[in-house]
Amino acid sequence: MSALKWQGWLVGLVAIAGLLVFAPLGLYVWASGGEPQAEPPRAAVEDVRVTGCRVDPASRRVTAAVEATGRGEGVGAYVVTVEFRDRAEADPGRRAAQALVRIPGVAPAATEYGEAVGPVWPVATVPWCGVAGAEFTPAAPTPGATAP
């Protein structure tokens, strides 16, 4: 046999040896990663939205109507940060006015409402109101209450 033929056989044998060593390792890694991970709880900001934005004619303050839809974790309260701007796009050089609104007692799958009152708004300027952040706090169980 020529030297070139021996090199071909040698490469083939090394490839087969590599498969015999690394194939079981690859199968082990593939099989051990099969446990499904629990989904992380969704962010509270996904449960709230601004449904209205208007300027009160008497006080000239901008107000935002906010609704929160409860999550399956049980009854709780939302604290929503509402932002007031003169356009939908945020201006990185300016800080927008913000207000907090607390919406307590939101049951799972129920919708509760709140209102955020913002600053005095300039005449002839249309406001934009949006959710800047939200936090959900589960309600504390009442003493003496029994679980169903």
Side-chain angles (χ1 to χ4, degrees):
M1 285 187 158
S2 70
L4 191 57
K5 197 169 189 177
W6 276 106
Q7 286 178 347
W9 276 100
L10 185 61
V11 169
L13 288 174
V14 169
I16 290 173
L19 282 174
L20 289 174
V21 171
F22 291 110
L25 179 63
L27 286 172
Y28 172 75
V29 170
W30 175 73
S32 66
E35 283 294 318
Q37 299 294 323
E39 288 188 29
R42 70 175 193 247
V45 75
E46 295 178 22
D47 301 335
V48 297
R49 68 186 185 115
V50 172
T51 59
C53 185
R54 66 178 180 82
V55 177
D56 181 58
S59 67
R60 296 291 313 151
R61 289 189 173 274
V62 64
T63 58
V66 180
E67 74 176 27
T69 304
R71 48 179 54 201
E73 299 168 21
V75 178
Y78 286 89
V79 175
V80 183
T81 304
V82 179
E83 196 167 77
F84 305 96
R85 300 191 301 244
D86 57 359
R87 65 176 80 89
E89 299 83 30
D91 185 2
R94 285 178 41 192
R95 184 172 175 184
Q98 295 182 340
L100 294 176
V101 60
R102 186 170 193 276
I103 305 174
V106 183
T111 302
E112 298 293 334
Y113 304 91
E115 188 173 81
V117 179
V120 174
W121 205 251
V123 178
T125 304
V126 178
W128 178 90
C129 306
V131 175
E135 291 182 20
F136 176 77
T137 306
T142 56
T146 59

